[in-house]
Amino acid sequence: MANGVTGVSESRSGIARRIVALAVTAPLVVALVLAAFAASAETAAAMRGVDAKLRAVAAGADALVAADAHARALGNAMDAAECVAQTARLTAVADEAGVTYLYTCVRPNASSGGLVYVELSSQSKEEREKGETPMVMRIYEQPPPELLLSLGDGATRFAEYTDEYGSFRSIFRPVSTAHGLVVIGADVPLDDLRAIVRANLLWQAGITIAVLIPVSLGALWIGRRVARPIVELASAVRSFSDDNFQDDAQSIERFERVVKAQSDETRTLAAAILDLRRRLVGHLVALTELTAEKERITAKLNIARDIQRGLLPQESPNISGFDIAGWSEAADETGGDFYDWMETPRGEIVLVVADVTGHGIGPSLMAAVCRAYARATLVESGPIEPLVERLNRLVHGDARSGQFVTFFAGVLDPASRKLSILSAAHGPILVYRASEHRVVETPTHGLPLGVVDDLDSEPGTRLTLDPGDILMVVSDGFFEWANREGEQFGHERLAAALLAASQRSSGEIIDAVRSEVYAFTTGTAQPDDMTALVVRCLTS
């Protein structure tokens, strides 16, 4: 329970935190973008105001310096009193206009080596406080490129630069005089412009903070209000897992309270989850019952499988001169194949291999019936043909519509090594002849058991097994099993497998043939029951 509460608390804080973050971040981003645009716009407006002031100051400055004053300055004929007077006039206008410097610049002639001179200039407040003496025709050590361009082409330009006097935003306005081109310059410190930008940013930041505080508080309130029903819904859903989806009235009642308490999409979601929960519980109940039923059926099939396996011979017959082995494997829990052998009162051995159509519980029951009938009929004296015909009538009486049994029966006389065979459509019947070292196929005889009531069987086959000869009978689960390409194992591979294992014992022959089939069909599931019977005539 502690874990559940912790999870809900974490969920509450997580949802509210995300909502608050979204509600705060979105306005913050918008506010910062707007603040940036506003600051940029105000800065641009301030810059335009500064440039307008510089343009106005420069436009009126040429009237402050008389034409003959330029001549005296260029000719170094201006005395100290006139220099002080000119400096005072420029300084007064600069102070009134709010600029730091107001000055004139010239490039006298080619003999000056391209040097630029500050002809006349106002004095800054700092220079006046220091008592510096005004000067005429001072060399401009670091003239900005825009000033040089204006001296060259006579165009007015603005510039931001740093020279030996400081960092400025300036205007350079050329004026033609009788003594050549004079550029009137006016400077405003860049620190003043930066102060304007900082003021704008601080103003916008203050507005942003003032807006964000109520927005954040509102987002916090909204976040908690929005998160509350979701957290309650999550807690109710968690209660379902806590009770393992059992019909716990308390958890259902808790969930229904959540449904009734809401009036928006949360209510719709809660109602849908509650309905889904009810359906899921129903499916779980049905699945539990189905699983239990399946387990009961599986247990019964396992019992049937054990019974069917118990009907197969448990050990090979001890017959002098012969080695006999059998093997059977159902495709499902139970199958319709079986093999058998029994000894008659005359000392003969009756060999049987049968395959009931299909595989599963139905064919397995029919196989058990057929085995019982075979044990009751085939041990009697007489030719094999009438015995099989009698067996057919018994099988036909119990077979369902469309059900039949392919059936091999052989009667072996160990003393004479003679074998009488009758195969009711069960093949192939393979015989290995040791003297020829080859495998031959013996034909089958007539219809399967159970197809018709009166089976007029064909005459069986009589043969003698010489020392080293082998008889092998298998069901179609061996040769009809196909690989992943759809190709069946087939009769030819079956005969080749027998030929390759012909020097082994009967049990080893079955193992070898089965291994060949498994290797050929790797990656595919066994589609049908598999049964084999091998009789080997020993050499001594």
Side-chain angles (χ1 to χ4, degrees):
M1 182 60 69
N3 292 338
V5 172
T6 301
V8 172
S9 176
E10 291 175 354
S11 175
R12 182 192 300 272
S13 62
I15 295 173
R17 186 166 54 249
R18 292 186 183 95
I19 294 175
V20 171
L22 178 62
V24 173
T25 302
L28 176 61
V29 171
V30 173
L32 290 177
V33 171
L34 293 178
F37 277 115
S40 176
E42 292 186 12
T43 301
M47 187 67 72
R48 287 193 298 270
V50 169
D51 289 348
K53 178 172 65 175
L54 291 173
R55 190 183 297 274
V57 171
D62 59 340
L64 300 177
V65 182
D68 56 351
H70 291 298
R72 286 192 295 277
L74 289 171
N76 291 320
M78 182 177 290
D79 58 24
E82 184 179 5
C83 177
V84 169
Q86 291 286 356
T87 299
R89 282 197 295 270
L90 291 175
T91 300
V93 172
D95 289 345
E96 183 179 357
V99 299
T100 302
Y101 288 108
L102 181 61
Y103 51 91
T104 60
C105 292
V106 296
R107 183 184 286 164
N109 48 49
S111 63
S112 67
L115 295 176
V116 176
Y117 290 82
V118 178
E119 184 186 47
L120 295 167
S121 174
S122 65
Q123 284 187 311
S124 67
K125 182 178 179 180
E126 290 77 8
E127 290 172 343
R128 294 196 299 270
E129 290 175 350
K130 293 178 181 179
E132 294 184 6
T133 303
M135 297 179 63
V136 179
M137 295 299 289
R138 288 174 295 170
I139 296 177
Y140 201 160
E141 300 291 346
Q142 302 175 14
E146 290 81 1
L147 173 59
L148 299 177
L149 291 173
S150 294
L151 285 169
D153 59 14
T156 299
R157 288 180 174 82
F158 291 93
E160 290 183 11
Y161 62 93
T162 299
D163 61 9
E164 63 264 35
Y165 302 104
S167 298
F168 302 99
R169 171 76 176 177
S170 302
I171 186 173
F172 302 118
R173 179 177 177 272
V175 176
S176 295
T177 68
H179 304 283
L181 191 66
V182 177
V183 172
I184 299 175
D187 300 341
V188 173
L190 285 178
D191 289 342
D192 294 349
L193 293 177
R194 295 186 181 115
I196 294 174
V197 173
R198 283 195 299 270
N200 290 336
L201 289 176
L202 290 174
W203 169 251
Q204 295 299 331
I207 294 176
T208 301
I209 293 173
V211 171
L212 281 179
I213 290 175
V215 168
S216 299
L217 294 176
L220 181 61
W221 180 81
I222 293 173
R224 290 179 176 176
R225 183 176 179 85
V226 172
R228 185 179 300 110
I230 298 176
V231 171
E232 292 176 355
L233 179 61
S235 177
V237 171
R238 185 181 295 276
S239 68
F240 290 163
S241 61
D242 292 340
D243 63 16
N244 293 323
F245 291 94
Q246 301 298 317
D247 286 331
D248 185 352
Q250 184 178 358
S251 63
I252 294 177
E253 180 183 355
R254 180 180 181 184
F255 207 96
E256 289 176 342
R257 285 200 305 269
V258 175
V259 174
K260 294 177 182 178
Q262 304 303 320
S263 59
D264 53 10
E265 289 79 1
T266 307
R267 179 176 184 174
T268 303
L269 177 61
I273 293 176
L274 182 58
D275 180 65
L276 179 63
R277 191 259 188 197
R278 288 173 176 147
R279 294 187 183 188
L280 181 58
V281 169
H283 288 311
L284 288 175
V285 171
L287 180 60
T288 301
E289 294 175 352
L290 182 62
T291 301
E293 180 63 22
K294 183 179 179 181
E295 290 176 352
R296 287 193 295 270
I297 293 174
T298 301
K300 293 178 181 179
L301 289 175
N302 289 336
I303 293 173
R305 178 190 60 194
D306 293 340
I307 293 174
Q308 187 178 33
R309 288 185 177 276
L311 295 178
L312 297 174
Q314 300 304 303
E315 57 184 21
S316 299
N318 185 15
I319 302 174
S320 177
F322 287 90
D323 175 21
I324 302 176
W327 173 85
S328 184
E329 183 69 32
D332 294 333
E333 285 82 356
T334 59
D337 285 11
F338 73 91
Y339 69 91
D340 199 6
W341 46 67
M342 62 207 84
E343 187 174 355
T344 69
R346 304 174 301 279
E348 298 169 329
I349 298 298
V350 178
L351 306 169
V352 172
V353 176
D355 182 2
V356 182
T357 53
H359 50 86
I361 189 67
S364 70
L365 295 176
M366 188 62 196
V369 170
C370 184
R371 173 184 176 277
Y373 289 153
R375 280 184 163 259
T377 57
L378 298 183
V379 295
E380 296 182 1
S381 300
I384 193 171
E385 290 83 359
L387 297 178
V388 172
E389 291 172 3
R390 180 183 174 189
L391 173 61
N392 173 73
R393 286 191 293 271
L394 295 171
V395 171
H396 182 267
D398 289 339
R400 294 175 300 174
S401 177
Q403 191 175 47
F404 58 86
V405 183
T406 62
F407 190 86
F408 166 86
V411 180
L412 174 63
D413 181 1
S416 63
R417 303 195 307 276
K418 294 187 181 298
L419 180 64
S420 298
I421 295 173
L422 184 64
S423 176
H426 191 99
I429 304 169
L430 301 180
V431 178
Y432 167 74
R433 293 299 186 182
S435 60
E436 304 172 12
H437 191 59
R438 69 186 183 95
V439 176
V440 297
E441 186 173 339
T442 299
T444 60
H445 316 91
L447 297 174
L449 303 183
V451 176
V452 296
D453 179 60
D454 186 12
L455 181 65
D456 186 11
S457 61
E458 300 175 7
T461 301
R462 272 71 178 174
L463 51 87
T464 300
L465 295 179
D466 295 326
D469 289 352
I470 301 170
L471 168 72
M472 184 173 76
V473 183
V474 299
S475 65
D476 55 6
F478 273 84
F479 54 84
E480 288 185 355
W481 193 347
N483 60 16
R484 283 179 289 190
E485 287 73 34
E487 183 183 3
Q488 294 184 347
F489 188 74
H491 291 193
E492 292 184 2
R493 291 187 180 87
L494 190 65
L498 172 59
L499 185 64
S502 59
Q503 305 307 309
R504 302 181 183 181
S505 66
S506 295
E508 292 173 341
I509 291 173
I510 294 176
D511 292 341
V513 173
R514 216 167 31 135
S515 297
E516 290 292 325
V517 176
Y518 292 157
F520 179 78
T521 58
T522 298
T524 64
Q526 180 181 339
D528 200 359
D529 305 331
M530 300 174 68
T531 300
L533 175 68
V534 174
V535 178
R536 177 183 179 86
C537 184
L538 301 178
T539 56
S540 58

